[in-house]
Amino acid sequence: MTDIIKWTNSLLVGHMGLEEGMATFFSNLIGSALIVLAGVGINWICQAIFRWLSSHNIKLLHSRWHPYLTKRKLGHHMLLMIPGFVMYILPYLFFEKGDNMIRILHRADIVFMLIVTIMVCNSLLFAFLDFYSTTEKNRSHPLQGLIQGLQVLLYFIGGIIIIAVLIDKSPTVLLTGLGAS
């Protein structure tokens, strides 16, 4: 255990009177909650900075893509990666290397980052569709069906990868299993 977890463990055992097993469980729970709170705080700070920068940058406001990217919240979805990276590193401050909590928190964080990646790709697809539909020449060639097909493919592949991370198997094993049935 690191110093933070040892301190909370000794506080729970010495002052609260909990037994050692329960104190370790609650210490791990408190450490995990602190990691999630740090990620939420970093996200809040990054989102505030992004809103300020995007509203004060004149070149960005006059770009042709800006209204479509802001409508689909691409920047906000991309900024969710920053807390994901931070929450991937923080368990090493709270838990010792080789601890099961690091493995559990890393899996949860990888699932979070995969979901964010799917959200970013979805935003890009819809921003492209919005931008493509604005020109008169391209309105006669609708791309809605193609975009929806790409969305289904994106969600299917993302779901397979998320399930593979959760059960700690290779995505190729899952895909070959689907082909065999």
Side-chain angles (χ1 to χ4, degrees):
M1 284 189 245
T2 61
D3 292 335
I4 298 169
I5 299 298
K6 283 181 185 175
W7 178 77
T8 57
N9 200 5
S10 67
L11 180 72
L12 291 172
V13 170
H15 291 52
M16 300 273 199
L18 288 176
E19 58 186 56
E20 188 68 31
M22 278 302 256
T24 303
F25 172 76
F26 282 120
S27 295
N28 290 341
L29 191 66
I30 290 169
S32 301
L34 287 174
I35 291 170
V36 170
L37 284 175
V40 169
I42 288 170
N43 181 39
W44 183 76
I45 290 168
C46 290
Q47 295 286 348
I49 292 169
F50 177 74
R51 275 192 300 272
W52 184 83
L53 285 175
S54 66
S55 66
H56 286 83
N57 191 345
I58 300 300
K59 286 183 182 177
L60 183 67
L61 290 174
H62 295 299
S63 149
R64 289 182 63 194
W65 279 90
H66 185 263
Y68 307 109
L69 296 177
T70 55
K71 177 183 176 186
R72 299 299 178 178
K73 298 183 179 183
L74 180 69
H76 294 288
H77 295 320
M78 288 179 75
L79 282 176
L80 286 173
M81 284 293 199
I82 296 171
F85 291 131
V86 170
M87 289 190 307
Y88 192 82
I89 296 169
L90 280 180
Y92 292 108
L93 296 176
F94 289 92
F95 305 104
E96 287 183 4
K97 193 171 187 171
D99 195 359
N100 280 336
M101 284 303 293
I102 291 177
R103 190 172 50 87
I104 291 169
L105 290 171
H106 278 180
R107 281 191 189 181
D109 190 53
I110 289 170
V111 168
F112 170 75
M113 292 197 307
L114 285 169
I115 291 171
V116 169
T117 303
I118 292 170
M119 289 169 41
V120 167
C121 291
N122 195 30
S123 294
L124 276 173
L125 285 173
F126 276 117
F128 172 73
L129 181 65
D130 291 343
F131 183 74
Y132 182 81
S133 299
T134 57
T135 59
E136 193 63 42
K137 176 179 145 184
N138 297 328
R139 284 189 191 170
S140 62
H141 305 291
L143 283 181
Q144 184 74 27
L146 179 65
I147 297 295
Q148 287 175 346
L150 288 173
Q151 256 186 315
V152 168
L153 186 66
L154 174 71
Y155 290 143
F156 178 74
I157 292 173
I160 292 290
I161 294 172
I162 288 172
I163 291 170
V165 166
L166 289 175
I167 64 173
D168 199 23
K169 296 281 183 190
S170 172
T172 55
V173 171
L174 293 174
L175 288 174
T176 56
L178 284 175
S181 57

